[in-house]
Amino acid sequence: MATVQQMEPVPTPARPQSINSSAHSLDIDMGGTAPPVANDMIFGSAPKRGDTRTVVIMCGPGQEKIVAVFAEVLGKPYRLKHGFKDVTHEDRDSVVGMLADNAKADIATRDQSSVVAINAHCVNLGMPPDLQLSAECDYEFLYTEAPFFRRDLSRFISHTLGQLNCHETLMAKPRTYIISTTFPDVHAALPNIDILTVGSDAIEIRVDLLKEPLGDGTFSAIPSLSYVGKQVMLLRQRTELPIIYTTRCTRENGRFPMDNPELYYEYLYRAIQWGVEFIDVELWLPEEIRKRLYEKRGNSRIMSAFHDFSGTFKWPSKQAEAIFLESRRYADIVKMIAITNDHNENFELEYFRSKIKAEYPDAPPMSAVNMGETGQFSRLLNKFFTPITHPLLPIIAAPGQMSAAEINQALALLGQLPKKSIYGISSPSSRSSTPQAPFFEKCFNELGLPHHFAVVERQPKEYSCIEAWCNQRNFGGAYLNPGVSFNHLVNNSSFFSSLNNGAGPVLTEAARLIGMVDTIVVRPNSGVLSAPASIPSSPRRQADGSDTPLGGGGLAAPQFGLPPNTSLVFDNASWKGILSTLTRDLAPSAYFGRAAVVLASSSDDAASALFALKALKVGKIYTVGFKTPPALAKDIPVEPFNSLESLQRARTVSNGNGNSKEDVGSGAPFVVVSALGPEKSNLVAMLVRVFGGYGAKGSSAAGSSNTRKVFLDLASDGYGSAPRRGGDPRLIAEQSGFAAYGAADVTAFTTVETLRLLVGQNVPYSFVRLASGRTMY
Ligand SMILES: O=C1C[C@@](O)(C(=O)O)C[C@@H](O)[C@@H]1O
């Protein structure tokens, strides 16, 4: 059970510090010795250029508007053409739309090296997608018109074109859980989907368990592809989690018949076309089918699946190794599951796991557990893609399945998940009306984590106390709100500066370049880094002159001394919050090569946004109110607005398409990020008016574009939160044609990242928003 103490009203993590407090300078000069950099955290899974072929959208009559939405999400102009034969080299930077009926004539003869064909089908019209197009297109997007889920389209296209990759993110996580849903109809899952998926890193849809009603009170033997498509669509509209698509056969505890392996190909390949992230492919399927699926998987990942229900399977056997070797041939992930009868078989599995790791270090990651009650122990030990259940599910997907909370509680009992003290370190300037402690308590309880959480407050410009909270035996990590400059942290703490033999704490690439730390993560030492020197922290002098231990603020008296086998990693979660907000409704390519404006009253406030914009490969950054730190100005043109003329110049600069080299950075600003406080609202409002209006790149006779520009106000929690001089910039931005986002969006995404970093658990964005009193949908 989590123990939470709300000591002070808590902060909004993404709020820039200089709104209320004096700015700190950001210089990336780290002094003499460079701090160690966590080499496994370099840029994470940053957006990529991905597939650069011309995107062709096929749509039904009267549905041409979906072409414009695709174009908008991708940040490209669009044009309508009759058929594939009319798509030329000139269209390469546009989205091309065409009517499905016309496309059928020549889709088969398209040049697949230059075009990617997407069948966009609106399910509201009562007809299934055209069979020929479904079979011949590269991808298929199923959607509802009312309501329309733009973030679903954004996710679909970012995934299928390879601009965002959830696989890399999941692979980097020390422990991952997948929830196996067992609903006969996804509708039943939707009301509880947020709570159901707390702790899950991906969600499995058991296609074989879906029951398609036939209208006469009976159900079809297997659900039709059109029914399955709608179910997958529904699920993806309501969860941001990657989906695992499973057609489990009758022999392996499922309901899919085994007499026609081609049926599996049909269903599984369709899932790749739908942009499902993970496809479960059973090992019994003929090699030719497994190979074909693997080769045609696009940006989806294949999970080879083997289950043995005989009760005679032995992990220490030639057979087990042979199964692994066969599985890995056409797989990105290998899953091996067996029913066992003896507790010792859990140890045999662990031996098998370590043997495979040692003998095949380059093999795909393996998820391997034993089923049944005696096998539950192996579910605690498996760290990668552990299948879990939840009490709200109608049935468990396999004997012995446990929930995330049960696994975590068991790990805690076994001493594998020791109780830690986790802190939210705020300062008086960052107090907000949303109490953070009850939220963390809810998450910890929901996840069965044993940790303490406390919000503690430091005084402005007081950094030395932070070391006292961190230099405790049971310190489990902290978030800092507002973030603190790395230099301030290290220069004011003999503890931090002495870590790693005087080289300082480990820094992630993001924290190093941003220069601001908002998350302190405790990590077991990897061989690469030397053990941090743990020194006793300096006790605080009380008024009477006696020494008193620092920290805790009401927690049990802390034991001093970070254990020697641990490292502190200084990280920055805010930039990810900003990145996720900016890519919620737009694919990363909407930003590639375009110009951005960042307003802030200090470089500390601007740094996370600058880093996120660089990750999005913007072409140029205009700045207002601060000097860009050299590390962040590297490899990108940065121009301060220092006169009305410079502003005017930026406004009228020609619009390129941003995709070719010559166009990089050209065009009027597309995205404006402001970290200025309410007292500077009129300046922000003036700028959004100046840069407002539709249009963006490429609107010309050659194609039309209606891309809305993007405005992100890091200083505003929402409309009407505080009276603002010159009006609310978000409202003005919206009136000026921007899509506007505020600090609450960034905060929720940042909290998701913070929890991942601090406790290694995934709490969906929608749950965070729900807990803070707002729903996404
Ligand atoms: O393969 C697996 C693992 C599983 O069988 C289990 O044992 O938890 C549950 C299935 O839903 C899933 O597809």
Side-chain angles (χ1 to χ4, degrees), residues 367-384:
S367 169
V369 298
N370 286 328
M371 286 179 287
E373 225 167 286
T374 41
Q376 286 187 323
F377 188 61
S378 68
R379 295 187 186 258
L380 311 183
L381 300 181
N382 181 71
K383 291 193 175 145
F384 181 72

Side-chain angles (χ1 to χ4, degrees), residues 90-114:
E90 308 247 288
D91 300 316
R92 72 186 184 286
D93 292 326
S94 307
V95 169
V96 174
M98 62 185 65
L99 286 178
D101 274 349
N102 301 338
K104 277 165 75 170
D106 60 356
I107 183 170
T109 57
R110 73 189 183 279
D111 175 7
Q112 296 204 34
S113 66
S114 65

Side-chain angles (χ1 to χ4, degrees), residues 180 204 206 246 248 280 305 307 335 337 369 371 379 387 397-399 401:
S180 314
E204 177 183 47
R206 282 284 301 267
T246 303
R248 186 67 66 238
D280 182 293
H307 293 76
K335 182 161 64 176
I337 312 235
V369 298
M371 286 179 287
R379 295 187 186 258
Q401 259 196 346

